[in-house]
Structures are given as structure tokens and as C-alpha cells.
Amino acid sequence: MTGGAPGFLRVLAVDDEPPALDELAYHLRADPRVARLHTAADATEALRVLRDDDVDVVFLDIRMPGLDGMELARVLRRFARPPAIVFVTAYDDGAVDAFDVGATDYVRKPVRAERLAESLRRVIGSRVVAGHPAALARAEEDPTIPIELAGSTRMLPRSAVRWVEAQGDYARLHTADGSHLVRVSLATLAERWGDAGFVRIHRSFLVQLRLITELRLVNSGYVVLVDSAELPVSRRHTRELKDRLVRAAKQDWSR
């Protein structure tokens, strides 16, 4: 079914629980940015809607019978012009998988109007609408990672991360205005973010190469300066780091 409101976003809400779907649809219809709203009770119905209509963003429950929300999201990622994904769930154990599929946001149930409004703002700011492929390409280049903030799960863009510190099986992401602990290992981030300029300088530290302002020799070995933080460089990573810094400097000179 569909509903109309003045706006420009085409939205699909998917949840197998009718009360939850009704509540989600009610809040989305009330937002003036939503032009058209579709609802679906399962993945099969959602795919039928997506086959027949263009959709900018899918608000998607995770735990559903048959094809669950995470599996559906992976199917949507293979679309030529995939919609943005916002997970709406009562559970927090899917946040890391949401990172894997490039979700724009991760909203906890029970849903609140102001939280959904924030999700729509994030959709508009990051992926915009399906008619703007350039904006979608920018979102693909700057994926997000779920963080816990003020009792909710938000999606932090990778570009905001300055450096990463290992803390057991977790990683602490340092940004310009604070830090966030996430349930992802440093090794996983090093593998996924290597092509984006993040370099391993120590078994416990991953740094955005372009943000290193100084490589300094101290009594205990080398350290790098990122913002106001001095981070240690292990012996095994020193040579590679020096080579990377030299190559980056040469590229800057040749521009």
C-alpha cells in the first residue's frame, strides 16, 4: 500500500509485525520530506515493490521469517542503483553486519519520530535520492560504521576517523571531537580501510596516512604525530610507513 505527502523521498518500510509496521509507517508519513511511502510485510513483498517502483530508502527490520532483513539488504546492494538502507530493530547485535552492508543508519525500537527524522536527514545528506548517482558514488566512497551514542546506534562516516586504537576484540575510533568504541577488530578495519589510506603503524594502532604531520625518533623508537596525539610506530612497520610517507609526499609535489 502507499501513502502520499508533500516531499521528495520515496520510502519503503518493511516489518513482519503489523503493529511495528503501522507505527513506523505512521511516523514516516508524518514527515514532510516523504513523498511516497510503500509498506511490505516480508522480503518477498518488498522485492515486488522494488521491482515495480523506484525507492530512495528502505527502512528495514532485521529479524523476519524467510529472507531476513540483513539478507535482503545484501540483495539490495547488488542493484544497479541501490536504495539507502536504514535498519529498524529491537536488537543491537546486527550493528556490525549493518556496517558490512553499508547501512546509512541503525534505529532501535521502539521508534521515535525525532529519531526517524534524524535518519531521513542522514539519508538526504549521504545518499540523497536515487536520481543523483554522483551523490550515491560519494556515499560508496565514504562508508559508515555503527557507534553507540546517547543510548542509540548511529552511523559514523569513515572520513571522520583520524586514527584507530585496538582494545582487545574492539577498536576505539578517534575523531576530531572524541572517540567511540566499536565491536570490530583492528585487523578487520585495517583490511577494509587500507585502500582508503589507513595504514597500520603498530599492532595496536591504525592511522589515516594523510593526517600524519610528523614522524619523530624518540628514545624508545619512532612515533607519529596525528593532531595532538603521539602514537608509537613498531619496528616491523617503520620501513613501510617511511616508504608510504615518501610516496605520498612525491605525489603531492607532482601535482
Side-chain angles (χ1 to χ4, degrees):
M1 61 182 176
T2 63
F8 54 92
L9 283 174
R10 299 159 295 184
V11 180
L12 170 61
V14 187
D15 198 312
D16 65 304
E17 298 180 357
L21 183 58
D22 289 344
E23 182 182 19
L24 179 60
Y26 172 81
H27 290 306
L28 289 171
R29 285 195 181 98
D31 194 292
R33 293 165 294 187
V34 176
R36 187 166 72 247
L37 175 69
H38 302 270
T39 62
D42 55 34
T44 300
E45 188 176 352
L47 289 171
R48 190 177 302 120
V49 170
L50 291 163
R51 179 194 62 196
D52 297 334
D53 293 276
D54 290 329
V55 170
D56 302 312
V57 54
V58 179
F59 284 79
L60 181 58
D61 187 25
I62 293 180
R63 297 191 180 182
M64 299 187 297
L67 195 69
D68 68 22
M70 202 62 67
E71 292 167 332
L72 176 58
R74 293 189 177 97
V75 172
L76 301 184
R77 293 290 290 170
R78 296 199 293 267
F79 281 24
R81 293 164 65 178
I85 300 294
V86 173
F87 287 111
V88 183
T89 176
Y91 307 94
D92 62 1
D93 57 0
V96 172
D97 289 332
F99 163 53
D100 285 340
V101 299
T104 301
D105 207 351
Y106 192 96
V107 179
R108 302 275 188 81
K109 294 178 180 178
V111 297
R112 295 178 290 109
E114 59 270 24
R115 185 65 182 87
L116 290 179
E118 169 68 11
S119 289
L120 289 170
R121 185 193 67 77
R122 289 172 180 271
V123 169
I124 294 166
S126 63
R127 295 178 180 261
V128 195
V129 295
H132 293 75
L136 180 58
R138 286 196 299 272
E140 293 291 333
E141 294 169 2
D142 191 16
T144 57
I145 187 168
I147 61 169
E148 298 297 317
L149 188 63
S152 63
T153 303
R154 303 292 179 89
M155 306 305 287
L156 178 75
R158 183 178 61 193
S159 60
V161 178
R162 318 286 286 181
W163 51 282
V164 185
E165 179 182 4
Q167 293 192 349
D169 293 332
Y170 289 69
R172 183 167 294 279
L173 310 180
H174 292 265
T175 65
D177 55 2
S179 67
H180 309 280
L181 191 65
V182 296
R183 193 166 49 189
V184 179
S185 71
L186 189 74
T188 296
L189 291 178
E191 179 181 353
R192 294 178 182 173
W193 290 3
D195 292 342
F198 282 84
V199 58
R200 193 80 172 260
I201 63 169
H202 188 277
R203 66 177 182 175
S204 299
F205 293 96
L206 182 69
V207 176
Q208 173 55 263
L209 186 72
R210 63 180 175 80
L211 299 179
I212 295 175
T213 56
E214 186 177 349
L215 175 64
R216 179 188 304 163
L217 181 62
V218 296
N219 293 336
S220 58
Y222 281 95
V223 297
V224 294
L225 191 65
V226 179
D227 297 331
S228 59
E230 280 191 357
L231 307 177
V233 181
S234 66
R235 290 183 178 180
R236 64 174 295 193
H237 291 100
T238 298
R239 173 60 64 186
E240 180 186 0
L241 177 61
K242 286 181 177 180
D243 291 344
R244 293 281 297 270
L245 288 170
V246 169
R247 289 199 301 269
K250 286 182 178 179
Q251 290 176 354
D252 288 340
W253 296 337
S254 62
R255 289 176 183 171

